[in-house]
């Protein structure tokens, strides 16, 4: 078990995975007009499980199956990507808030407050 996991629990790992997912979703949105671009996403629960086992999270990454295929082969659907991005951003902020609170608690304990 890594030192950060002992201090911060799952939230440190979750924050890293949420950040990775945010970048992937942003890449999907940025490539919405790129012909043959294949949207990808991370199965967060699967990635967290793999990370806890010390395994690579690459197995949690998959290509998104579009509801309606586009003529140019692009699988990005903006509504899907934007919704996933917003949900992930909220979860990211929640993990960040928890970690911030944990750091403040540890800081106060070290100062003897």
């Amino acid at each position: 078990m890594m030192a950060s996991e002992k201090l911060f629990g799952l939230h440190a790992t979750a924050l890293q995975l949420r950040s990775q997912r945010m970048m992937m979703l942003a890449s999907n949105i940025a490539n919405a007009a790129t012909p043959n671009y294949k949207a990808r996403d991370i199965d967060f629960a699967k990635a967290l499980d793999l990370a806890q086992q010390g395994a690579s999270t690459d197995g949690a990454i998959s290509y998104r199956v579009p509801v309606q295929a586009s003529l140019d082969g692009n699988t990005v659907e903006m509504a899907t990507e934007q919704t996933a991005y917003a949900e992930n951003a909220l979860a990211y902020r929640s993990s960040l808030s928890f970690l911030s609170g944990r750091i403040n608690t540890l800081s106060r304990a070290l100062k003897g407050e």
Side-chain angles (χ1 to χ4, degrees):
M1 182 177 280
M2 295 172 41
S4 65
E5 287 180 10
K6 289 179 184 175
L7 285 174
F8 305 117
L10 241 45
H11 288 277
T13 304
L15 192 65
Q16 290 174 331
L17 292 172
R18 293 279 181 208
S19 178
Q20 182 182 1
R21 184 170 186 233
M22 187 117 30
M23 291 184 63
M24 189 170 290
L25 293 170
S27 178
N28 289 347
I29 292 169
N31 285 287
T34 304
N36 295 312
Y37 181 82
K38 306 301 181 204
R40 297 183 309 153
D41 198 1
I42 297 173
D43 179 334
F44 181 77
K46 186 175 181 180
L48 191 58
D49 187 44
L50 289 169
Q52 285 180 296
Q53 296 173 25
S56 169
T57 58
D58 290 345
I61 298 171
S62 62
Y63 289 99
R64 194 179 304 285
V65 178
V67 175
Q68 184 173 351
S70 68
L71 295 175
D72 67 358
N74 186 306
T75 62
V76 175
E77 294 176 319
M78 286 303 284
T80 301
E81 301 304 328
Q82 289 171 334
T83 301
Y85 189 91
E87 289 172 351
N88 191 68
L90 182 61
Y92 180 90
R93 284 193 299 270
S94 296
S95 290
L96 194 57
S97 178
F98 176 85
L99 286 173
S100 178
R102 180 75 172 136
I103 290 168
N104 288 337
T105 300
L106 291 171
S107 179
R108 286 196 317 270
L110 289 172
K111 292 177 184 176
E113 295 179 1

